[in-house]
């Protein structure tokens, strides 16, 4: 069974890595199956193949197993969170696995290099490491798994019903992804703590093999629908951006809003009846400039016209700068030269 678990988890990891190269999987999802692979490798070496390795190597894999076991639940939550919320998860979810890893690493190094096994400190560190890890796996791990399962289901807000499948298929499949993991944890707890019969244990363990196939399948389906949803939102945003751009052009060409000296993105967004985020995205993506340069481009084009207009021949450079939306002569000169390579005076003389 252990070898079969290593094989199927390796194949799942391999396939997810291939999809990562094709940009159809994310690194954290590949890492999720990578943790499973190393968990089974660690479990197999520490329980069945101790004699094939030195005592230090076997102990290292034993300590690694405990760390990997409690890392899976927050990582599963991370996968669901990232796909549905599109935000980076808080690193604090990994504090406890990191602390356990640190304790186990320091304990392992001390026990490896401390040659006197009868020394008081050797026994204290050995017993402390053993007690901490078994308390973690016997008591903390079930609570930890339940906590992150609840948090993951809260992201979705519903169990995988037929209604959810039609309304939000990406949530339906991620809900199944969580439930299959929950079932794995439940079976692991039952067969380790509640059942002694070897036949029943063996039957329950068979789910472990099935888990990787079905979990990978529902993860893949969930990601597929997330991709479709994101594309639909992108198309919707394109229509929205086109509408905002039309309003923006009217404000610029008809109302000449850029002539307001204190114009900022918040004020302009309010005038266009949109929000700052969408307006900034539109200017950045469509015109390849930031808001400040975008507005100054229009101010400079306007100032170039009035510099050559006979009606303004008696105006000073500072006055033309003020008419064009600049607060100061120095600001006007610097911006004008940056855009044209000439000062306003030189531009007027050269015309």
């Amino acid at each position: 069974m252990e070898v079969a678990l290593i094989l199927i988890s390796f194949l799942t990891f391999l396939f997810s890595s291939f999809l990562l190269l094709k940009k159809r999987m994310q690194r954290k999802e590949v890492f999720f199956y990578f943790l499973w692979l190393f968990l089974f490798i660690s479990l197999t070496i520490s329980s069945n193949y101790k004699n094939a390795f030195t005592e230090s190597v076997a102990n290292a894999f034993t300590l690694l197993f405990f760390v990997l076991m409690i890392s899976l639940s927050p990582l599963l939550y991370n996968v669901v969170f990232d796909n549905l919320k599109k935000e980076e998860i808080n690193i604090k979810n990994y504090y406890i696995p990191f602390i356990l890893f640190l304790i186990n690493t320091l304990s392992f190094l001390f026990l490896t290099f401390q040659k006197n096994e009868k020394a008081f400190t050797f026994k204290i560190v050995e017993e402390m490491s053993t007690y901490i890890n078994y308390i973690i796996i016997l008591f903390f791990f079930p609570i930890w798994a339940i906590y992150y399962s609840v948090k993951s289901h809260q992201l979705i807000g519903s169990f995988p019903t037929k209604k959810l499948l039609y309304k939000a298929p990406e949530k339906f499949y991620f809900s199944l992804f969580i439930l299959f993991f929950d079932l794995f944890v439940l079976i692991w707890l039952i067969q380790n703590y509640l059942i002694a019969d070897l036949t029943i244990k063996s039957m329950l363990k068979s789910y472990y093999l099935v888990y990787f196939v079905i979990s990978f399948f529902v993860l893949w389906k969930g990601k597929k629908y997330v991709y479709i949803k994101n594309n639909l939102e992108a198309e919707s945003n394109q229509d929205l951006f086109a509408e905002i751009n039309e309003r923006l052009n009217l404000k610029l060409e008809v109302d000449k809003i850029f002539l307001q000296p204190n114009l900022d993105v918040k004020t302009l967004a309010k005038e266009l009846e949109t929000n700052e985020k969408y307006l900034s995205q539109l200017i950045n993506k469509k015109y390849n400039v930031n808001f400040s340069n975008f507005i100054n481009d229009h101010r400079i084009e306007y100032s170039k016209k009035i510099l050559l207009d006979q009606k303004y021949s008696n105006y000073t450079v500072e006055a033309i700068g003020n008419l064009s939306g600049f607060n100061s002569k120095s600001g006007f000169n610097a911006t004008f030269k940056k855009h044209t390579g000439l000062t306003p005076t030189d531009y007027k003389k050269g015309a």
Side-chain angles (χ1 to χ4, degrees), residues 10-72:
F10 173 72
L11 291 174
T12 308
F13 165 68
L14 203 63
F15 191 51
S16 63
S17 300
F18 171 75
L19 292 177
L20 175 65
L21 295 175
K22 295 288 185 179
K23 297 182 179 180
R24 296 179 183 178
M25 278 275 173
Q26 295 172 304
R27 283 177 294 180
K28 58 179 62 67
E29 292 150 2
V30 177
F31 190 60
F32 180 72
Y33 290 109
F34 174 77
L35 282 192
W36 275 115
L37 171 62
F38 261 76
L39 182 134
F40 289 127
I41 290 173
S42 302
L43 180 62
T44 302
I45 291 174
S46 60
S47 59
N48 298 333
Y49 293 94
K50 278 187 175 182
N51 296 332
F53 299 90
T54 63
E55 185 179 356
S56 294
V57 172
N59 288 338
F61 276 105
T62 301
L63 295 174
L64 182 61
F65 167 78
F66 294 114
V67 175
L68 294 172
M69 198 70 179
I70 66 165
S71 299
L72 284 169

Side-chain angles (χ1 to χ4, degrees), residues 91-107:
I91 197 69
K92 69 181 181 181
N93 292 287
Y94 298 98
Y95 282 169
I96 292 178
F98 177 75
I99 290 169
L100 183 62
F101 173 77
L102 197 61
I103 291 171
N104 285 349
T105 301
L106 294 174
S107 300

Side-chain angles (χ1 to χ4, degrees), residues 139-201:
F139 301 106
F140 182 80
F141 170 68
I143 298 170
W144 185 250
I146 291 169
Y147 171 73
Y148 276 104
S149 174
V150 171
K151 280 177 68 73
S152 299
H153 283 294
Q154 284 176 341
L155 289 174
I156 295 167
S158 173
F159 285 102
T161 61
K162 187 176 182 180
K163 182 179 179 181
L164 184 63
L165 174 61
Y166 289 113
K167 185 179 178 182
E170 74 285 355
K171 290 187 175 183
F172 173 85
Y173 285 106
F174 274 103
S175 181
L176 285 179
F177 179 67
I178 301 163
L179 283 176
F180 288 139
F181 178 82
D182 293 342
L183 184 58
F184 187 103
V185 173
L186 180 62
I187 289 173
W188 186 86
L189 293 172
I190 290 171
Q191 66 97 13
N192 276 287
Y193 301 151
L194 301 178
I195 294 175
D197 187 279
L198 294 177
T199 304
I200 298 176
K201 277 191 172 189

Side-chain angles (χ1 to χ4, degrees), residues 240-246 248 272 277-289:
L240 177 62
F241 285 153
E243 185 181 338
I244 296 171
N245 189 54
E246 188 176 339
L248 175 62
L272 298 176
K277 179 183 175 182
Y278 284 151
L279 179 57
S280 294
Q281 285 180 356
L282 169 67
I283 292 172
N284 292 340
K285 290 180 180 179
K286 186 172 181 63
Y287 299 100
N288 295 316
V289 290

Side-chain angles (χ1 to χ4, degrees), residues 74-333:
L75 186 54
L76 174 119
Y77 175 64
N78 193 352
V79 168
V80 177
F81 187 93
D82 185 64
N83 276 281
L84 297 182
K85 297 292 184 180
K86 289 297 174 186
E87 298 174 15
E88 283 300 318
I89 200 165
N90 198 320
I91 197 69
K92 69 181 181 181
N93 292 287
Y94 298 98
Y95 282 169
I96 292 178
F98 177 75
I99 290 169
L100 183 62
F101 173 77
L102 197 61
I103 291 171
N104 285 349
T105 301
L106 294 174
S107 300
F108 172 75
L109 291 173
F110 178 84
L111 296 174
T112 299
F113 294 105
Q114 170 60 270
K115 302 300 181 183
N116 185 6
E117 295 184 7
K118 294 182 180 180
F120 176 73
T121 52
F122 184 93
K123 290 181 179 179
I124 288 292
V125 172
E126 186 178 41
E127 289 181 4
M128 181 191 72
S129 176
T130 302
Y131 287 141
I132 288 174
N133 282 284
Y134 276 101
I135 287 171
I136 287 284
I137 209 69
L138 291 173
F139 301 106
F140 182 80
F141 170 68
I143 298 170
W144 185 250
I146 291 169
Y147 171 73
Y148 276 104
S149 174
V150 171
K151 280 177 68 73
S152 299
H153 283 294
Q154 284 176 341
L155 289 174
I156 295 167
S158 173
F159 285 102
T161 61
K162 187 176 182 180
K163 182 179 179 181
L164 184 63
L165 174 61
Y166 289 113
K167 185 179 178 182
E170 74 285 355
K171 290 187 175 183
F172 173 85
Y173 285 106
F174 274 103
S175 181
L176 285 179
F177 179 67
I178 301 163
L179 283 176
F180 288 139
F181 178 82
D182 293 342
L183 184 58
F184 187 103
V185 173
L186 180 62
I187 289 173
W188 186 86
L189 293 172
I190 290 171
Q191 66 97 13
N192 276 287
Y193 301 151
L194 301 178
I195 294 175
D197 187 279
L198 294 177
T199 304
I200 298 176
K201 277 191 172 189
S202 181
M203 290 174 62
L204 289 173
K205 282 183 178 180
S206 62
Y207 172 76
Y208 297 168
L209 296 173
V210 178
Y211 167 75
F212 287 98
V213 177
I214 56 177
S215 77
F216 190 84
F217 173 75
V218 296
L219 174 62
W220 171 247
K221 290 286 286 185
K223 287 187 68 63
K224 178 182 176 182
Y225 282 106
V226 167
Y227 177 78
I228 293 171
K229 180 184 176 184
N230 290 341
N231 278 350
L232 290 174
E233 288 178 352
E235 290 177 6
S236 176
N237 284 343
Q238 285 178 358
D239 293 338
L240 177 62
F241 285 153
E243 185 181 338
I244 296 171
N245 189 54
E246 188 176 339
R247 286 187 235 149
L248 175 62
N249 288 329
L250 283 173
K251 281 289 177 185
L252 293 169
E253 294 170 12
V254 178
D255 297 341
K256 293 187 170 35
I257 197 169
F258 57 85
L259 298 180
Q260 295 181 16
N262 298 317
L263 183 66
D264 57 18
V265 67
K266 184 177 180 180
T267 304
L268 184 54
K270 189 175 180 180
E271 288 285 337
L272 298 176
E273 298 180 355
T274 185
N275 61 50
E276 298 171 47
K277 179 183 175 182
Y278 284 151
L279 179 57
S280 294
Q281 285 180 356
L282 169 67
I283 292 172
N284 292 340
K285 290 180 180 179
K286 186 172 181 63
Y287 299 100
N288 295 316
V289 290
N290 60 31
F291 176 80
S292 178
N293 287 335
F294 177 75
I295 295 300
N296 282 338
D297 284 344
H298 285 80
R299 287 170 175 167
I300 294 301
E301 288 302 314
Y302 181 80
S303 69
K304 284 161 69 175
K305 290 178 182 177
I306 62 176
L307 277 168
L308 304 180
D309 193 327
Q310 289 299 316
K311 287 193 301 183
Y312 300 95
S313 59
N314 294 327
Y315 281 60
T316 64
V317 169
E318 185 176 3
I320 289 176
N322 290 337
L323 287 173
S324 302
F326 291 96
N327 284 316
S328 66
K329 180 181 177 181
S330 59
F332 175 47
N333 279 332

